[in-house]
Amino acid sequence: MEKVLQVNDLHVSFSTYGGEVKAVRGVSFDLHKGETLAIVGESGCGKSVTSQSIMRLIPEPPGKISGGEIIFKNIDLIKLKEPELQKIRGANISMIFQDPMTALNPTITIGEQIMEGIIQHEKLSRAQAKRVAVEMLTLVGIPNPELRLKQYPHQFSGGMRQRIVIAMALVCRPDVLIADEPTTALDVTIQAQILELFRDIQKKTGVSIILITHDLGVVAQVADRIAVMYAGRIVELGTRREIFYQPQHPYTKGLLQSVPRLDAEKAELVPIPGTPPDLFSPPVGCAFAARCPYAMEVCERVYPIETHISQQHQVDCWLQDERAKKLVSSFK
């Protein structure tokens, strides 16, 4: 499959009064045309920082991209100046931010907010931009689009606002859409509608989606591949089936065990013990070692070698080493 985006060994840190927070520590992944890649993990693992780094939205200072590459159409976005980035943001790569309630300007009509990106990037007249805005509202399922263009955000429900934010992100027909927790503030019924909307839009436009979430229920419905993040690193990457049915990293297994199950009687939630490591001074070895019931001495001293379970399934864990087969048998 054609690669539309490549992130190679990305490092992002933040300078604070307490020291340097190493938020992203060597993240690498590819995004293929027309696929949905979900990045999952606990709060604070670096998911949102990774997505904002792709858009170059990290405030510098205090933030800093200290290493790596973000390749889009053979261009390293890290090396671009702000005027060049502004041509790509919204036009080629768009982002849906976490809270639809605050993502819209309450003092400007929906129509003006949607048309702004079209006029800036595609240099259309207001009449042409209005026609495109009406088409986008229709695409995301907003009834009476011509009337709705004249209304303000407070005149819409939470689910409708989320649809409008999606329309704004898609209005210039980008190659990549980054959705950062797009269903967090919505109830279950509206969540299902938004997820169905993502699937429908992807079929119609062929956009590639990076979905940032901690909700494995959402991931199970829409993701083609899943990257599991912990303490600023991707510890496991694979297809949806591989991650859900053949997880290899203890952290991935812990996440799956902590999800409520409706298909099993008397199912109990099994929380992951302990807390994430301090990213002011991250561990030298595997960051999950302190919480892992299968941790070995080497886990604390040396970061695991990346092991390829299949063509698309890779994991960073010493349990995959030949010398750990006895532990692996008990792990399964």
Side-chain angles (χ1 to χ4, degrees), residues 2-7 31 33 54 70-77 80 87-88 91-93 172-176 208:
E2 178 187 349
K3 294 179 182 178
V4 296
L5 183 73
Q6 293 175 269
V7 177
L31 180 67
K33 184 175 178 60
I54 293 172
I70 302 172
I71 307 298
F72 175 73
K73 292 186 175 180
N74 298 318
I75 300 172
D76 187 353
L77 300 183
L80 295 185
K87 295 177 182 178
I88 292 175
N92 301 109
I93 305 176
C172 293
R173 303 194 180 279
D175 300 290
V176 177
S208 303

Side-chain angles (χ1 to χ4, degrees), residues 37 47 70 104 108 143 178 187 214 288 326:
L37 172 67
K47 306 185 301 295
I70 302 172
L104 298 170
I108 302 176
I178 302 172
D187 63 52
H214 62 271
F288 191 63
K326 291 183 180 179

Side-chain angles (χ1 to χ4, degrees), residues 230-249:
Y230 185 76
R233 294 181 184 267
I234 291 179
V235 297
E236 187 165 5
L237 175 64
T239 65
R240 176 176 56 189
R241 175 166 291 276
E242 288 169 334
I243 295 299
F244 276 95
Y245 293 102
Q246 299 171 338
Q248 300 297 316
H249 199 283

Side-chain angles (χ1 to χ4, degrees), residues 87-303:
K87 295 177 182 178
I88 292 175
R89 291 193 198 113
N92 301 109
I93 305 176
S94 289
M95 189 166 184
I96 300 170
F97 295 94
Q98 287 192 20
D99 188 359
M101 306 302 176
T102 58
L104 298 170
N105 189 326
T107 66
I108 302 176
T109 64
I110 294 303
E112 290 293 331
Q113 295 186 59
I114 296 176
M115 290 162 55
E116 180 181 9
I118 312 170
I119 294 171
Q120 178 178 348
H121 291 291
E122 301 193 6
K123 311 301 181 185
L124 300 181
S125 67
R126 289 189 61 83
Q128 292 171 320
K130 182 178 179 180
R131 284 197 294 270
V132 175
V134 169
E135 291 174 4
M136 291 309 303
L137 287 185
T138 302
L139 178 65
V140 299
I142 301 291
N144 302 318
E146 293 189 3
L147 173 64
R148 291 299 216 170
L149 284 178
K150 303 174 185 178
Q151 296 181 331
Y152 291 84
H154 73 271
Q155 295 174 278
F156 295 83
S157 66
M160 297 284 268
R161 290 189 207 184
Q162 187 63 286
R163 289 172 183 267
I164 292 165
V165 170
I166 293 172
M168 290 174 62
L170 293 172
V171 73
C172 293
R173 303 194 180 279
D175 300 290
V176 177
L177 175 64
I178 302 172
D180 190 356
E181 303 278 8
T183 61
T184 296
L186 306 176
D187 63 52
V188 177
T189 304
I190 303 301
Q191 280 188 21
Q193 294 176 6
I194 296 300
L195 295 178
E196 183 61 34
L197 176 61
F198 274 123
R199 286 192 289 264
D200 187 46
I201 287 173
Q202 195 168 49
K203 288 179 182 178
K204 292 179 179 178
T205 66
V207 66
S208 303
I209 299 174
I210 297 177
L211 176 64
I212 310 296
T213 184
H214 62 271
D215 190 336
L216 292 176
V218 170
V219 170
Q221 295 183 59
V222 298
D224 297 305
R225 290 189 301 139
I226 301 170
V228 181
M229 278 195 77
Y230 185 76
R233 294 181 184 267
I234 291 179
V235 297
E236 187 165 5
L237 175 64
T239 65
R240 176 176 56 189
R241 175 166 291 276
E242 288 169 334
I243 295 299
F244 276 95
Y245 293 102
Q246 299 171 338
Q248 300 297 316
H249 199 283
Y251 177 62
T252 307
K253 290 206 167 210
L255 287 179
L256 293 172
Q257 289 173 350
S258 63
V259 175
R261 296 287 299 272
L262 299 179
D263 59 344
E265 294 184 7
K266 299 181 180 179
E268 294 184 4
L269 296 182
V270 182
I272 302 173
T275 58
D278 183 359
L279 293 183
F280 282 109
S281 181
V284 176
C286 176
F288 191 63
R291 306 172 72 184
C292 180
Y294 310 102
M296 301 172 285
E297 187 175 345
V298 66
C299 299
E300 299 179 355
R301 297 188 177 185
V302 183
Y303 189 76

